[in-house]
Amino acid sequence: MNIGIDLDDVIADFFPSLLTNYNTRFKTNHKVSDLKVFKYSTLWNVSSEEAIKRTDEFHQSHDIKELPVVRGAKEAIEQLMQKHHLTIITSRPSRFKEKVKIWLTHHITNQKIEIIHAGDFHKGQGATKAQICEELQIPIMIEDAPETALQCAESGIHVILFDMPWNQALTHKNITRIHSWKEALKVIDEMKQ
C-alpha cells in the first residue's frame, strides 16, 4: 500500500521540543497539554505572524539532537518500509528541506524515503496534504493536525490520527484515533485484510 506519513509530532517529537525551547527563551511555563487548539499564537498570546516567526526560528536553529524521534517511530517505519511504499508529507516550509533530510537520515533510516513539502502550512500556501494524497493515490495518511486530518478524511483518505491535546474534538468515519506506533501498525495490518 501507499502510505503518507506526517513528520512533526508523528515521527519527530516536534512540539515538546519547540515548547521547551520557547519556555527557555521567553521565560514561560507552557505544557504540551495546554495546546487545545492547533494554533501556537493562541497558546503564546502573540499574533499569527509572530508565532510563525518564532516557530521558523526554532526550525532554523535547532540541532539534530534537540529534536528526538517519537517513541516507536523508527522501528515502525523500518517495518512498514519492508511491505509498503512510504511518503513523508510535511507542512514544514520547503526552505527547511535539507534539514529534514539530514534529520531523517540521522534518526530514522539511511534508505531513501520520498519527502514532499505541502507548501507553507502557516501561510496557507501550496497543495494540501489531501490533494497530494489524491494525486499520488495514497489511501492512508498518518497525521496529528486536526484540520489536515479532516480534509483527508473528507476526501476519502483513511486517517490514522495520533491522539494529541489539539485534536480531541475531531471525529470522522475515516479517522482512526491511535495512541502509539504499535497501534498504528495494528490498524494498517487490519486494513490489508
Side-chain angles (χ1 to χ4, degrees):
M1 288 189 292
N2 288 332
I3 301 172
I5 308 175
D6 179 34
L7 178 65
D8 291 326
D9 298 309
V10 171
I11 300 173
D13 205 10
F14 179 75
F15 186 62
S17 302
L18 171 65
L19 206 51
T20 297
N21 175 277
Y22 187 90
N23 284 336
T24 301
R25 278 182 70 198
F26 296 99
K27 311 281 188 268
T28 56
N29 193 27
H30 298 295
K31 299 181 291 299
V32 171
S33 59
D34 294 337
L35 188 66
K36 304 290 187 198
V37 178
F38 198 56
K39 285 183 139 185
Y40 301 158
S41 59
T42 302
L43 177 65
W44 296 336
N45 198 26
V46 297
S47 69
S48 292
E49 294 76 19
E50 185 62 23
I52 291 166
K53 179 178 172 246
R54 292 176 183 186
T55 303
D56 283 354
E57 286 169 356
F58 178 72
H59 278 308
Q60 190 65 46
S61 66
H62 75 76
D63 182 84
I64 267 181
K65 296 176 194 90
E66 283 181 274
L67 195 57
V69 178
V70 168
R71 186 179 186 173
K74 177 179 172 48
E75 299 78 12
I77 288 170
E78 287 172 353
Q79 187 176 331
L80 288 171
M81 286 175 68
Q82 294 174 14
K83 299 177 184 174
H84 307 286
H85 180 264
L86 307 182
T87 304
I88 293 172
I89 307 172
T90 179
S91 296
R92 276 204 209 174
S94 59
R95 65 184 173 278
F96 301 117
K97 186 185 297 188
E98 199 54 40
K99 202 156 195 174
V100 169
K101 286 180 186 174
I102 291 167
W103 187 90
L104 278 168
T105 301
H106 179 81
H107 286 289
I108 303 295
T109 182
N110 287 326
Q111 296 183 36
K112 187 172 170 88
I113 297 179
E114 184 176 10
I115 304 165
I116 296 174
H117 290 262
D120 195 329
F121 171 75
H122 297 291
K123 296 179 182 173
Q125 299 169 342
T128 66
K129 290 184 184 182
Q131 291 167 330
I132 292 167
C133 286
E134 286 176 339
E135 184 180 322
L136 299 178
Q137 298 181 335
I138 296 173
I140 301 170
M141 183 69 198
I142 304 173
E143 182 61 65
D144 70 292
E147 185 177 319
T148 301
L150 187 58
Q151 286 173 349
C152 288
E154 288 177 344
S155 296
I157 297 154
H158 189 94
V159 178
I160 298 173
L161 184 73
F162 268 82
D163 186 65
M164 296 292 180
W166 51 84
N167 64 30
Q168 292 303 299
L170 187 60
T171 60
H172 191 281
K173 65 179 182 168
N174 290 333
I175 294 176
T176 303
R177 185 176 293 273
I178 52 102
H179 298 86
S180 68
W181 270 101
K182 186 176 181 180
E183 286 182 41
L185 291 175
K186 187 172 184 243
V187 170
I188 291 167
D189 278 345
E190 289 170 358
M191 292 178 79
K192 289 189 314 188
Q193 299 170 2

